[in-house]
Amino acid sequence: MISTKGRYAIRVMIDLAENDTGSYIPLKDIAARQDISKKYLEIIVKELVIGGFVKGASGKGGGYKLCRKPEEYIIGEIIELMEGTLSPVICLAKKDYDCQKQPTCKTYPLWKEFDELVHNYFYGKTLRDLL
């Protein structure tokens, strides 16, 4: 399940794209438009800044803005930054995970197909697609 953190991060990114004037957008404005607590958004945008998705400036005229064009943001990357892996099982989530049962596991093909569906769906969508 994708938490509010992942969902709100996408909403913040959409808000920044829709309201882009070249200037920084105050977090209080985003919080008001999205009806999300400013305190909670502070946690989310901090991670987006650390991940290199948005840049922030403090003080007068401060706020946040996108680092790239909307079509350059992949939704799957935003979700994984906020949530961690989208993979349903550890043997697919960690490439270096050595599962002794994988060669004979009857459920592995099921999880692999599901993992590919989810990955292809979210990695096939950009921020621009949501605008």
Side-chain angles (χ1 to χ4, degrees), residues 14-113:
I14 291 169
D15 191 286
L16 290 171
E18 288 179 333
N19 296 286
D20 182 17
T21 62
S23 300
Y24 288 92
I25 299 170
L27 193 60
K28 66 178 179 59
D29 294 353
I30 299 168
R33 281 191 296 267
Q34 296 299 320
D35 194 26
I36 302 170
S37 149
K38 183 177 174 264
K39 196 81 170 155
Y40 192 36
L41 285 186
E42 288 171 354
I43 296 165
I44 291 168
V45 295
K46 181 179 179 183
E47 289 188 41
L48 290 170
V49 169
I50 291 169
F53 287 73
V54 302
K55 50 187 166 186
S58 56
K60 186 177 179 182
Y64 297 90
K65 63 181 174 178
L66 299 178
C67 295
R68 306 185 303 253
K69 296 175 185 173
E71 58 270 16
E72 296 174 357
Y73 289 97
I74 307 298
I75 297 302
E77 292 174 336
I78 299 168
I79 294 171
E80 286 195 331
L81 173 70
M82 302 310 290
E83 302 286 344
T85 183
L86 290 169
S87 295
V89 291
I90 194 167
C91 57
L92 292 168
K94 295 187 176 192
K95 301 302 174 203
D96 60 345
Y97 184 76
D98 184 28
C99 179
Q100 302 297 316
K101 295 181 181 187
Q102 183 182 337
T104 59
C105 180
K106 299 290 186 188
T107 63
Y108 180 77
L110 172 78
W111 299 125
K112 184 163 177 47
E113 183 179 355

